[in-house]
Amino acid sequence: MEILLLGTGSADGWPNPFCRCTSCTSATQVRGQTAALVDGVLLLDCGPEVPRAAMRFGRSLAGVRHILFTHGHPDHVGPAALLMRHWTGATEPLDVVGPPSALEQCEHWVGPDDPVRFITVQSGDRIRLGDYDVRVLAANHGADIGGDAVLYDLESDGGRIFWATDTGPLPDATHLAVTGAGYDAVFLEETFGTYAEHGTEHHDLLEFANTVAHLRTVGAVTDTTDVVAIHLSHHNPSESELTAVLSDSGARPGRDGEAVCVGAATNAPTRTLVLGGARSGKSAHAEALLAAEPAVTYLATGGVREGDPEWAQRVRLHRARRPDCWRTVETTEVAEELRSATHALLLDCLGTWLTARMDLHHVWDGGALERVHADIDELVAAWRACPAPAAAVSNEVGSGVVPATASGRLFRDLLGVLNARMAAASDDVVLMVAGRPLKLPVSAP
């Protein structure tokens, strides 16, 4: 089962576009309203931002056959999506599922002949939708909309997940219903961060930790469950601090565009090349691609630079983003690490790796350039043979000015060659622009 997070933010997202608080101004990525696309066929919530979010992440919604709404709040229900679908002349059946507060908003957005089936549910219901067994559970949310908000326990041959947004601390009936579930992944809302006086039916960090602990006690969360915080807002601390706090509960923040693969999902790309310019968000995106992995080896090719405090600060920020379970290896001898990988691997970055190889072979002083090409051959072969999920980060050099020096032009040309060869050996290639991922077509090698 693949769960693509189309949004991981609260109603106002994170950062809030009208806010200048520290959390908003220091945010390194934009989080849209929370929703997810499961296996390309099922939407968990569909607020007004969802259709465009799917397009930004290179996904079509043409294959969607089921939409599950949790409640009727406007960041979770965007009925215009049904009108967009109507305009395409779609003839495939679509199930629209949810409590009355959600479905009542949607019923007037479909044509009289549209093959849309509305299914009203309440907590305690169990329905079958295609390949999915859906259990409807009680939420602690939405008194202003009739108190009919629900959560979803979703299971197929590909795994089992718990979609728990929006809600405050879970009702006793829900804890009882999920006892022994042993979910592959739990997506639990965490809206209010360090702000504990909100007085709303949402989680703050303390309540989130308590809920996760309770889910562990009843066997809904196990040591292998991926616990992902969603519906995040600017009441949370910075990304690095939030990651550290959540890790105490064995959880992590979700990220927009992240594909969480659980159970029998085997079709996700295993080798992803992430390209981008300086400060484009390429490293953060590559980290998000592997965030669901139980263990990751981080191959840091930049090393340390004595007497360079600015570089040291960059390294500290990178390290702060990584979960404690990640192993960091600072090396430029990466080919063997790729070939022998037993769990996920992140190579960051190809530019510093190439610089180190050119230094090693004294290319700047007229040394053996053919040895660098041999190193590139070995790296690409090892990348292609890597037996574990892997992501590699590199600088995109095709859009800059022509370097003023011969050495600069040589480096640019070699990195361009390396990027092209790595792209040809990759399952997925992403170009980061201003923090936004653009999926590129992959040519056959």
Side-chain angles (χ1 to χ4, degrees):
M1 186 186 296
E2 181 201 57
I3 305 94
L4 176 68
L5 295 177
L6 298 176
T8 56
S10 58
D12 54 346
W14 184 20
N16 180 309
F18 296 93
C19 183
R20 295 184 181 275
C21 73
T22 300
S23 177
C24 286
T25 56
S26 64
T28 58
Q29 61 178 295
V30 176
R31 285 181 161 89
Q33 296 166 349
T34 289
L37 177 64
V38 180
D39 296 330
V41 300
L42 185 149
L43 278 172
L44 289 165
D45 283 321
C46 184
E49 296 180 349
V50 165
R52 296 295 168 228
M55 295 293 96
R56 282 194 295 273
F57 300 131
R59 300 298 184 94
S60 169
L61 298 182
V64 170
R65 299 293 175 263
H66 322 285
I67 301 176
L68 276 61
F69 291 112
T70 54
H71 62 294
H73 282 158
D75 55 316
H76 294 264
V77 181
L82 298 173
L83 184 59
M84 295 177 192
R85 188 177 190 270
H86 167 80
W87 284 334
T88 69
T91 59
E92 299 80 9
L94 174 69
D95 298 319
V96 179
V97 180
S101 65
L103 298 196
E104 288 168 359
Q105 300 180 53
C106 299
E107 292 170 347
H108 301 295
W109 289 80
V110 299
D113 298 322
D114 285 352
V116 176
R117 178 176 62 153
F118 290 99
I119 304 174
T120 302
V121 295
Q122 61 183 355
S123 62
D125 287 348
R126 182 171 181 172
I127 59 175
R128 185 76 182 181
L129 298 174
D131 296 330
Y132 304 94
D133 186 21
V134 181
R135 298 171 179 85
V136 186
L137 306 178
N140 176 13
H141 187 68
D144 60 316
I145 54 171
D148 63 357
V150 298
L151 312 175
Y152 291 107
D153 175 334
L154 189 68
E155 185 175 15
S156 73
D157 291 341
R160 187 176 183 184
I161 67 169
F162 183 26
W163 184 255
T165 188
D166 292 2
T167 183
L170 301 177
D172 291 341
T174 299
H175 281 299
L176 181 62
V178 302
T179 296
Y183 292 110
D184 293 298
V186 168
F187 300 90
L188 178 63
E189 78 117 83
E190 193 282 291
T191 305
F192 279 99
T194 56
Y195 178 50
E197 304 302 321
H198 50 90
T200 65
E201 297 159 321
H202 287 285
H203 282 88
D204 51 50
L205 278 167
L206 178 59
E207 291 171 337
F208 181 94
N210 291 337
T211 293
V212 173
H214 199 156
L215 291 173
R216 290 189 188 279
T217 298
V218 301
V221 169
T222 70
D223 290 342
T224 61
T225 302
D226 188 14
V227 181
V228 184
I230 54 174
H231 209 266
L232 302 165
S233 81
H234 67 154
H235 292 290
N236 280 283
S238 66
E239 178 91 8
S240 59
E241 184 179 347
L242 176 62
T243 299
V245 174
L246 290 175
S247 68
D248 291 338
S249 299
R252 61 181 184 81
R255 296 185 178 184
D256 290 25
E258 172 188 352
V260 179
C261 296
V262 302
T266 58
N267 296 325
T270 57
R271 292 180 301 276
T272 303
L273 176 63
V274 182
L275 302 167
R279 313 303 293 173
S280 63
K282 55 188 182 294
S283 292
H285 182 76
E287 291 163 12
L289 293 175
L290 300 177
E293 296 292 332
V296 176
T297 295
Y298 192 107
L299 296 181
T301 62
V304 296
R305 301 177 184 177
E306 297 297 334
D308 189 339
E310 189 273 338
W311 181 260
Q313 176 63 10
R314 285 174 178 261
V315 172
R316 281 194 294 271
L317 290 174
H318 272 249
R319 287 174 177 168
R321 288 203 307 256
R322 304 171 205 160
D324 293 338
C325 62
W326 286 28
R327 179 176 72 102
T328 298
V329 177
E330 294 183 349
T331 182
T332 61
E333 303 291 340
V334 300
E336 182 54 35
E337 292 281 351
L338 287 166
R339 285 190 294 263
S340 61
T342 57
H343 49 253
L345 186 148
L346 196 159
L347 170 58
D348 192 358
C349 74
L350 294 178
T352 50
W353 174 86
L354 179 61
T355 299
R357 305 316 290 180
M358 295 175 77
D359 287 344
L360 177 67
H361 300 305
H362 306 288
V363 170
W364 317 113
D365 302 319
L369 188 58
E370 64 272 12
R371 293 185 180 179
V372 177
H373 284 289
D375 288 344
I376 292 175
D377 290 342
E378 182 184 22
L379 175 64
V380 173
W383 176 250
R384 195 187 301 274
C386 184
V393 175
S394 189
N395 299 292
E396 171 51 44
V397 293
S399 300
V401 298
V402 176
T405 64
S407 59
R409 292 191 291 273
L410 175 60
F411 173 78
R412 178 204 59 180
D413 293 347
L414 282 176
L415 186 55
V417 169
L418 175 58
N419 287 346
R421 293 192 59 189
M422 289 288 284
S426 298
D427 301 297
D428 211 0
V429 181
V430 175
L431 175 65
M432 297 298 298
V433 179
R436 301 294 181 91
L438 303 174
K439 189 173 181 180
L440 304 181
V442 180
S443 300

